[in-house]
């Protein structure tokens, strides 16, 4: 009897594990056709000036619209794409899609803002990023100032020698680079001196604790102060309420990105936002 129960328990657990694995395998299998079936989309989230709340930029965030499962988060499929090598095609698609969109907005006479594109660690390791970016910019006749690249702190730490060289090339091309998810990789700011970047994004995990835990609050303000010493501009990610915004602006944060100012939104909605910005300027 006990033996039987033990076996049942074992079967129960192994069935559950198999289901999870199967689900992931099926998802991964579908991922291979996602580009061809045009299931990848870009959403755009505004970045605003901390002083006056005006839109000064945007971040392009990838979405996968699965035909049965609906919208799938990049947190789910980017790691899969990194494992199976699809990330190179996805990464190129991201840069091309943003450049094509900026071109279209320019041609429509809109007051565009620079749009940031995320670059994954695998993609960075495998691709000639400056070369690819240069080609795409040339293809769309787009000024390099209209795009920005976001590289995570951990990516820079893992590939520091090569990263420094690649960043030099990007700087010569006038393509701006931001360090994403800063504070999660435990690197010192002086270590970051070797990387020619223009801005730093404080990770959401620090911002979300403002108003709750004293220590993270002090960390956020220390990051801002030290970043300014290095002449970097500072963006806070994941700003969700006025308490966080007030604290950050008091400590000199330059830009905000978060639900308080706007969610990542479909391309047409962001285009409408840009059009509204034009009316503000005309008024
Ligand atoms: P990330 O680059 O740090 O992007 C910021 C994430 O924070 C986005 O999640 C955004 O929707 C979310 N966020 C922004 N404001 C708030 C807020 O106020 N509250 C909360 N709770 N969240 C907020 P998302 O879109 O799910 O993307 C997750 C991650 O997936 C990104 O983190 C980035 O690492 C990766 N990712 C997204 N798009 C791409 C892409 O095109 N290429 C690559 N390689 N990675 C991407
Ligand atoms: Mg990012
Ligand atoms: Mg980030
Ligand atoms: Mg993040």
């Amino acid at each position: 009897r006990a033996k039987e129960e033990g076996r049942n328990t074992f079967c129960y657990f192994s069935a559950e594990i198999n289901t999870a694995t199967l689900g992931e395998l099926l998802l991964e299998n579908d991922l291979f056709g996602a580009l061809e079936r045009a299931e990848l989309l870009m959403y755009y989230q505004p970045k605003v000036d901390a002083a006056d709340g005006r839109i000064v930029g945007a971040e392009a965030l990838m979405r996968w619209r699965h035909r049965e499962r609906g919208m799938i988060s990049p947190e789910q499929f980017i790691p899969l794409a990194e494992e199976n090598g699809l990330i190179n095609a996805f990464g190129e698609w991201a840069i091309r899609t943003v450049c094509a969109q900026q071109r279209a907005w320019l041609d429509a006479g809109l007051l565009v803002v620079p749009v940031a594109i995320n670059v994954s660690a695998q993609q960075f390791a495998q691709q000639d990023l400056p070369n690819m970016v240069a080609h795409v910019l040339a293809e769309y006749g787009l000024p390099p100032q209209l795009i920005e690249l976001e590289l995570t702190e951990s990516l820079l730490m893992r590939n520091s020698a090569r990263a420094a060289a690649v960043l030099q090339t990007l700087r010569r091309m006038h393509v701006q680079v931001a360090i994403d998810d800063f504070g999660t990789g435990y690197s010192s700011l002086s270590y970051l001196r070797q990387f020619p970047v223009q801005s730093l994004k404080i990770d959401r995990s620090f911002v979300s604790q403002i108003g709750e835990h004293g220590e993270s609050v002090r960390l956020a303000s220390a990051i801002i102060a030290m970043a300014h010493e290095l002449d970097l501009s500072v963006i806070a990610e994941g700003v969700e309420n006025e308490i966080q915004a007030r604290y950050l602006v008091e400590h000199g944060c330059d830009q905000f990105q978060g639900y308080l100012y706007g969610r990542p939104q479909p391309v047409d909605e962001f285009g409408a936002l840009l059009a509204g910005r034009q009316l503000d300027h005309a008024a």
Side-chain angles (χ1 to χ4, degrees), residues 109-149:
L110 297 188
L111 274 179
V112 295
V113 291
V115 175
I117 306 153
N118 291 286
V119 175
S120 92
Q122 277 303 319
Q123 180 194 349
F124 186 84
Q126 291 165 19
Q127 273 180 341
D128 182 348
L129 194 62
N131 191 40
M132 193 252 281
V133 168
H135 268 96
V136 178
L137 285 173
E139 193 178 327
Y140 292 99
L142 205 67
Q145 291 80 5
L146 288 184
I147 63 164
E148 187 181 9
L149 300 175

Side-chain angles (χ1 to χ4, degrees), residues 47 59-61 116-119 150-152 180-181 201 237 257:
K47 293 181 182 175
E59 178 173 11
L61 295 157
I117 306 153
N118 291 286
V119 175
E150 293 191 3
L151 311 187
T152 63
D180 205 352
D181 301 344
K201 301 185 77 175
E237 300 189 316
Q257 183 182 344

Side-chain angles (χ1 to χ4, degrees), residues 44 64 75 89 94 98 123 136 141 161 173 193 205 243 251 260 275:
Y44 295 84
W64 177 17
E75 266 159 14
V98 168
Q123 180 194 349
V136 178
M173 290 166 57
R193 232 182 251 280
S205 58
I243 296 170
H251 288 84
L260 185 60

